[in-house]
Amino acid sequence: MTITRRTLLGTLALSLSGFPFAAQAEDAWPSRLVRLISPYGPGGSNDISLRLLAEELGRSLHQQFIVENKPGAGTRIANDLVAHAPGDGYTFLYVAAPYATAEALFGKLTYDRADLQPVAMAVVAPLFLIISAEAPFKTLPELIAYGKSKPDGLTFASPGAGSQPHLAGELLFRDAGVKGLNIPFRGDAASYTELLAGRVDATLTALPTALPYIQSGKFRVLGVASSERSPLYRQAPTLREQGFPNVIAAGWFGFMAPATTPRPIVDKLQAEVARVLTEPAVKDRLTAQGLEVRTGTAAEFGQFIDNETQRWSVLIREAGLKGE
């Protein structure tokens, strides 16, 4: 057999990509700058928590971790970017809750879920049911009764169609047997203005932005959409306690990688994220942002995403919801 130059070069390339060399590269990770892709713009809980984690990971792994904001399309721009990035361990996604609902809301996507693999869950942002203190109802049963007394039911503010607050509101409408109209706004400030003016009846929101209104007596908290009371505001009963066991929803963030990223790198980042999140100073800073730390294995995070995808897909289909 004639050995051509192409055959020789191919054989050499194959030998250089063999196990010992690959293992050395994985052991040395990270040996250069690591990109962490945020699906939102600067300033929100996703961005703030990611910058904190990037700083801590850079310190402990002796390499620079930088945050790149790629907002838009309900997080799909960032998802797509990382799904098609090289699986070399130098690009990761700080995935958010809309990842689990994107296909049900928008249909066929530009990436496949198989293009990404879970690495580590990081934090959740509990959602609190808020009303104006001037509203004609003071409790959750009174809110439901008020909605049933109106031909058009309740009006509910959210940061957008298909967002976690919107979906949690739809769950509450369904389980309470009351009509409801979701009214999307751009950001919390606009929805709070409408709530205070009495033009919407309620909203589900993260705690930090609402807390000044709660402390000043302008807002009343009717409950939290968690399985247990949140340590962020323990006086708020869960909606589960009040007869709505299915109304559990929260914002959540974690790390994902391109599917071809080597397992040793995924395991190393997962372990380091879990370790960083146990640091008291880190937990305190995240708590100040209205976030609860949640750690676990990559497999557990993957199962969580699968469960979220299944649960919300059923609701989206039953309610006939479509993404914007």
Side-chain angles (χ1 to χ4, degrees), residues 211-228:
L211 194 56
Y213 297 91
I214 297 167
Q215 293 173 332
S216 66
K218 293 180 179 179
F219 282 171
R220 186 186 304 273
V221 182
L222 298 188
V224 61
S226 301
S227 57
E228 298 178 355

Side-chain angles (χ1 to χ4, degrees), residues 2-321:
T2 302
I3 300 177
T4 66
R5 182 173 180 271
R6 178 176 295 180
T7 301
L8 182 62
L9 290 174
T11 303
L12 179 62
L14 182 62
S15 69
L16 290 175
S17 65
F19 175 77
F21 295 94
Q24 289 173 18
E26 291 162 9
D27 289 343
W29 180 89
S31 60
R32 56 184 171 87
L33 179 149
V34 180
R35 303 163 68 211
L36 303 177
I37 308 300
S38 167
Y40 296 108
S45 295
N46 178 282
D47 176 70
I48 292 171
S49 60
L50 180 56
R51 290 181 187 279
L52 169 60
L53 292 173
E55 178 184 337
E56 296 295 328
L57 290 169
R59 183 179 295 115
S60 62
L61 291 172
H62 310 293
Q63 191 53 257
Q64 187 177 9
F65 284 69
I66 64 164
V67 174
E68 293 185 14
N69 299 97
K70 300 293 183 181
T75 78
R76 286 169 290 149
I77 290 175
N79 299 346
D80 180 84
L81 186 156
V82 179
H84 292 103
D88 55 8
Y90 293 93
T91 303
F92 294 92
L93 173 67
Y94 196 49
V95 67
Y99 175 81
T101 60
E103 190 169 0
L105 284 168
F106 298 100
K108 186 171 177 59
L109 304 174
T110 56
Y111 57 91
D112 191 279
R113 289 185 63 197
D115 297 331
L116 290 160
Q117 63 172 311
V119 177
M121 192 162 186
V123 294
V124 299
L127 297 177
F128 292 82
L129 180 60
I130 306 293
I131 62 170
S132 168
E134 302 300 319
F137 34 82
K138 307 298 181 187
T139 66
L140 180 55
E142 290 178 0
L143 171 67
I144 300 303
Y146 178 80
K148 290 181 176 179
S149 73
K150 297 172 62 180
D152 296 326
L154 296 170
T155 50
F156 208 86
S158 83
S163 64
Q164 288 296 107
H166 173 207
L167 296 177
E170 293 287 349
L171 264 181
L172 182 60
F173 299 152
R174 185 193 70 181
D175 289 3
V178 62
K179 291 181 181 179
L181 174 65
N182 170 64
I183 304 176
F185 294 94
R186 290 188 178 276
D188 290 328
S191 62
Y192 291 171
T193 297
E194 298 301 293
L195 193 61
L196 289 168
R199 289 189 285 268
V200 294
D201 298 319
T203 189
L204 277 151
T205 186
L207 189 63
T209 52
L211 194 56
Y213 297 91
I214 297 167
Q215 293 173 332
S216 66
K218 293 180 179 179
F219 282 171
R220 186 186 304 273
V221 182
L222 298 188
V224 61
S226 301
S227 57
E228 298 178 355
R229 293 197 181 200
S230 171
L232 303 174
Y233 197 78
R234 290 198 180 278
Q235 54 267 56
T238 66
L239 302 184
R240 188 178 192 172
E241 289 175 59
Q242 301 179 74
F244 298 99
N246 296 318
V247 187
I248 297 176
W252 52 264
F253 311 129
F255 291 91
M256 298 191 82
T260 53
T261 306
R263 173 54 55 182
I265 292 176
V266 169
D267 290 344
K268 188 173 182 178
L269 180 59
Q270 185 277 325
E272 200 57 30
V273 169
R275 189 198 64 76
V276 164
L277 288 170
T278 65
E279 295 288 338
V282 173
K283 293 181 73 172
D284 289 345
R285 290 174 67 183
L286 291 170
T287 297
Q289 294 299 319
L291 300 170
E292 298 177 8
V293 168
R294 296 285 174 86
T295 59
T297 66
E300 288 168 341
F301 188 32
Q303 186 61 59
F304 170 82
I305 292 173
D306 288 344
N307 292 343
E308 287 288 282
T309 301
Q310 173 62 26
R311 187 164 73 100
W312 293 122
S313 294
V314 171
L315 175 70
I316 290 166
R317 184 173 62 251
E318 290 178 348
L321 305 179

